Amino acid sequence: MSTIHDHNFPKFNELPPKEQQRLVRLFKQLDVTNDNKITAEDLAVAFKEMGIPYNPDGYNQSGHDSGTKRTESSLITRVEKLGSLSFDDFFHFIQETEHQLMYLFKYMDENRDGIIDADEIVSAFERFNISIDKKEAFVLLKRMDKDDSQTISFNEWRDYLLFLPSFDIRHILNSWRHATVKKFLDLGENVLVPEDFTSHEMRTGMWWRHLVAGGLAGAVSRTCTAPLDRIKVFLQVRGSEYSTINACLRHMLKEGGIPSLWRGNGINVLKIAPESALKFMAYEQAKRLIRGNTGRELEIYERFIAGSLAGGISQTLIYPLEVLKTRLALRKTGEYTSIWDATCKIYKKEGLRSFYRGYLPNLLGIIPYAGIDLAIYETLKKTYVSRHPEETDPGILVLLGCGTVSSSCGQIASYPLALVRTRLQAQAVTNDSTTREASSMIGLFKNIVKREGVSGLYRGITPNFMKVAPAVSISYVVYEYSRRALGVTMA
C-alpha cells in the first residue's frame, strides 16, 4: 500500500457535488459551536450525540492500555496536536482516513466484488484465530448494513468506522464484535440509573422502542420469577408463621393452588409502563439541570444523582401500586376479585394514607441500592478489562455477570429498608405483633432487632437472590428478541 504522504488526493473542488455536501454536513455536525473550527470540546459533545465513545486517553474507556491506543491518524489526536481543525484540516484528515479504510475494506473483500458478505467476515476473523459462525457474522453485518442488502458496501464500512482511534485490523474486528451493550435488564427491582439515549436515538424515535422492548422484557422476567417474589414477601411479613421457603410454598399451594403463586404479579407487570416512562422523563430533566447549557457528558456520580432523583420522583408517583402489589401478594382466596376491587376496599377501610405506608424506607432505600449497584458494576467491568487487555470491550456474558453481582450487592445494602417497607405496607393485614406494635420506620427497626436479631432484617433475602440470575437472563433474551422485532439497532 502506498503511504498517506505519497498518495495524490483530489482537491475539494474536484470532488462530485454529492461528496462535497457530505463532507460539509459532517464538518458542521462536529462543529458544535458553529465557529468554523472543530475543538476537543466540540468532539466531546458531537461524539456523544452520535453515540461514539469519546476518550482522549484512548479507545478503551476504562483508562487502561488495551493495546488499542489511538494512532496519529485519530481525529482526537489531530485536534489535540493542532488545537483545532479548520475545514481544510478536516478535509485532509478525512482523505487520509478514508484511504486507510479503503485499504482495510479491500483486505476484507476477498473476491474483489466491491462488497463484504458474511462468508468474508468469517474468513477475516479466522485469519486472526478468532472463531465465529455464520449466524454471528450476519449479526455483525447487520450493524453496518443500512440498505438491508445482506452485504456491506464501502460507504457503509466507511460511515461505521470513520472515527475509530486505531486502524489496526485486529482492533477493528474486536470492537466491531463487542459493540452490543447491556440496556434495560429487569431484575424485578428498581433500576434507578437509566441508560442514556443519544440525540440520534431521541430524534429517530429509537428511545421509545428501547423502552417498549425493556418493558416487554421486564413483564416476562417478572412473570417467570413471580413465585419467588411472592415467597419473599411471605417471609418478610409472615416469617414468624412460615420460616422457610418450603413452609411458605406448601402453605400457598394448599391455600390457593398453583395459580396462587402468581398473586400480585398482575399489578407488578402493570406498573412497568408508568414507572419506566416517569423515570425516563424525570431522568432527562435531572440531567438537563445538572448539565446546564454545557452539553457535556455526565460523570458517573452525576448520573447517580440524576438517577436517584428520577427514581425518587417515579417511586413517589407509582408508590400506591407498590402497596397494592404487596397486599395482593398476601391476600387470601376470595378476598379481592380484582385490582380495582382491592383498591376500593383498602381505601374504604383504611383511607388514602394506607397507600403510602412504608414510603419513607422505600425512598431511603434508593440511595444505597443505586449507588452501590452502579459503583460495583463499573468497578467489576473496569477490573475485567484491565486483566484482559486483549479485549476492547467486555462480552455480554461478562456484563450480565457484573450486573448480577452489582445488583445483589445493592440489594444486600438496601434489603433491611425494603423489609421494613413491606411490613409497613402489610400492617393492616398482618398478625405479627412486631409490626402492629410499631407504626413507624424506626420503631419497627428496633422491634425487629430486639425480637429477631439483625438476621431478622434479612428475612426473605434467599428467594430474592435466587431470582436475580434467572431474571437477568430471561430479561436479556426477551429484550434482544423484542428489540429486533421493533427494529432497534445497537450502536
Side-chain angles (χ1 to χ4, degrees):
M1 182 183 84
S2 61
T3 65
I4 297 302
H5 301 291
D6 63 19
H7 191 88
N8 293 318
F9 294 117
K11 295 179 181 180
F12 181 75
N13 56 15
E14 295 174 349
L15 296 176
K18 191 174 182 180
E19 185 65 10
Q20 292 181 13
Q21 292 169 9
R22 180 181 74 86
L23 294 175
V24 170
R25 186 167 56 249
L26 189 55
F27 180 81
K28 288 182 177 179
Q29 190 174 5
L30 296 174
D31 178 20
V32 176
T33 52
N34 295 317
D35 56 0
N36 295 317
K37 62 182 179 181
I38 300 171
T39 63
E41 291 75 18
D42 286 331
L43 288 183
V45 176
F47 278 17
K48 172 65 177 174
E49 291 185 349
M50 296 163 74
I52 300 170
Y54 174 81
N55 190 342
D57 297 322
Y59 186 82
N60 190 320
Q61 296 188 72
S62 69
H64 299 285
D65 185 356
S66 67
T68 59
K69 284 288 186 179
R70 52 195 170 90
T71 64
E72 287 301 313
S73 62
S74 159
L75 182 58
I76 299 174
T77 302
R78 192 70 63 91
V79 169
E80 287 181 350
K81 189 174 181 180
L82 298 177
S84 64
L85 292 186
S86 65
F87 181 77
D88 286 341
D89 296 326
F90 175 71
F91 175 56
H92 291 311
F93 164 79
I94 292 293
Q95 287 182 308
E96 294 170 5
T97 301
E98 293 186 0
H99 181 67
Q100 293 183 68
L101 288 174
M102 176 59 80
Y103 175 79
L104 295 174
F105 182 82
K106 289 179 178 177
Y107 174 83
M108 296 279 291
D109 182 19
E110 290 182 314
N111 61 7
R112 300 291 185 266
D113 61 352
I115 54 174
I116 297 172
D117 58 28
D119 289 325
E120 288 169 328
I121 293 173
V122 172
S123 177
F125 275 93
E126 286 177 348
R127 275 176 264 168
F128 286 90
N129 297 317
I130 304 173
S131 179
I132 68 169
D133 57 24
K134 191 80 169 283
K135 184 178 179 181
E136 184 178 359
F138 269 112
V139 173
L140 296 176
L141 185 149
K142 290 296 289 181
R143 291 180 187 159
M144 291 191 191
D145 180 21
K146 296 179 181 178
D147 58 4
D148 293 323
S149 63
Q150 306 299 311
T151 59
I152 300 169
S153 66
F154 173 71
N155 286 351
E156 290 169 333
W157 170 266
R158 174 201 65 201
D159 292 344
Y160 191 87
L161 301 173
L162 188 59
F163 297 118
L164 273 188
S166 168
F167 293 106
D168 176 80
I169 188 67
R170 182 183 290 275
H171 164 241
I172 288 176
L173 294 178
N174 274 325
S175 61
W176 185 13
R177 191 183 192 192
H178 295 298
T180 302
V181 295
K182 180 175 82 87
K183 280 183 178 237
F184 302 106
L185 297 190
D186 191 288
L187 307 178
E189 302 291 334
N190 297 312
V191 181
L192 296 168
V193 184
E195 289 288 344
D196 288 323
F197 292 109
T198 65
S199 295
H200 175 72
E201 288 174 321
M202 296 293 287
R203 286 195 303 269
T204 59
M206 281 294 171
W207 65 272
W208 70 261
R209 297 185 189 184
H210 277 299
L211 289 179
V212 170
L216 291 171
V220 175
S221 172
R222 294 183 186 193
T223 300
C224 290
T225 58
L228 287 171
D229 196 58
R230 190 176 183 223
I231 289 172
K232 177 196 74 175
V233 173
F234 250 77
L235 287 171
Q236 287 177 330
V237 177
R238 304 179 67 177
S240 58
E241 300 173 67
Y242 310 102
S243 59
T244 66
I245 293 175
N246 283 336
C248 283
L249 188 60
R250 284 197 299 269
H251 168 75
M252 288 189 288
L253 290 173
K254 183 179 179 180
E255 195 274 333
I258 292 176
S260 69
L261 299 178
W262 276 267
R263 282 179 186 167
N265 182 60
I267 192 74
N268 199 28
V269 170
L270 190 64
K271 71 186 180 71
I272 290 175
E275 184 178 15
S276 298
L278 288 168
K279 194 181 297 180
F280 168 68
M281 289 187 291
Y283 185 59
E284 289 299 312
Q285 290 300 321
K287 284 195 302 180
R288 288 194 185 98
L289 286 173
I290 294 170
R291 191 161 45 206
N293 297 322
T294 61
R296 61 182 175 82
E297 186 174 355
L298 296 186
E299 299 291 337
I300 187 170
Y301 75 91
E302 292 174 319
R303 285 189 64 224
F304 163 63
I305 293 170
S308 296
L309 287 171
I313 293 169
S314 65
Q315 281 291 293
T316 299
L317 295 174
I318 61 98
Y319 191 75
L321 298 180
E322 290 281 355
V323 175
L324 279 171
K325 172 201 158 190
T326 298
R327 298 292 286 271
L328 288 167
L330 293 168
R331 74 182 174 89
K332 297 176 182 178
T333 300
E335 186 175 357
Y336 305 121
T337 58
S338 65
I339 294 173
W340 179 248
D341 181 54
T343 305
C344 294
K345 286 182 177 177
I346 293 170
Y347 174 74
K348 185 176 180 180
K349 184 178 179 181
E350 304 167 41
L352 185 63
R353 188 177 179 181
S354 66
F355 290 101
Y356 277 90
R357 280 191 175 138
Y359 171 74
L360 182 58
N362 182 71
L363 202 61
L364 292 176
I366 288 173
I367 295 175
Y369 180 85
I372 292 172
D373 184 18
L374 182 63
I376 291 179
Y377 178 79
E378 293 293 332
T379 300
L380 289 174
K381 190 169 69 170
K382 289 181 179 180
T383 301
Y384 177 85
V385 172
S386 68
R387 294 184 178 181
H388 298 80
E390 72 281 359
E391 298 185 29
T392 55
D393 288 292
I396 189 61
L397 291 178
V398 175
L399 294 177
L400 288 175
C402 292
T404 301
V405 173
S406 63
S407 174
S408 298
C409 292
Q411 287 179 35
I412 290 173
S414 62
Y415 194 82
L417 288 164
L419 180 137
V420 169
R421 174 202 67 192
T422 304
R423 287 200 182 183
L424 288 171
Q425 288 174 341
Q427 203 167 35
V429 295
T430 183
N431 295 320
D432 184 6
S433 60
T434 304
T435 305
R436 284 188 285 104
E437 291 172 9
S439 58
S440 69
M441 179 183 73
I442 295 175
L444 190 52
F445 260 117
K446 289 179 177 178
N447 265 355
I448 292 172
V449 173
K450 181 180 178 180
R451 297 181 183 225
E452 305 172 45
V454 175
S455 61
L457 296 172
Y458 287 89
R459 281 188 184 273
I461 199 168
T462 300
N464 202 51
F465 281 156
M466 288 171 64
K467 74 175 185 174
V468 171
V472 170
S473 303
I474 293 167
S475 183
Y476 172 68
V477 171
V478 176
Y479 177 75
E480 282 296 295
Y481 278 103
S482 299
R483 73 167 183 83
R484 289 172 192 166
L486 291 167
V488 177
T489 56
M490 305 296 283

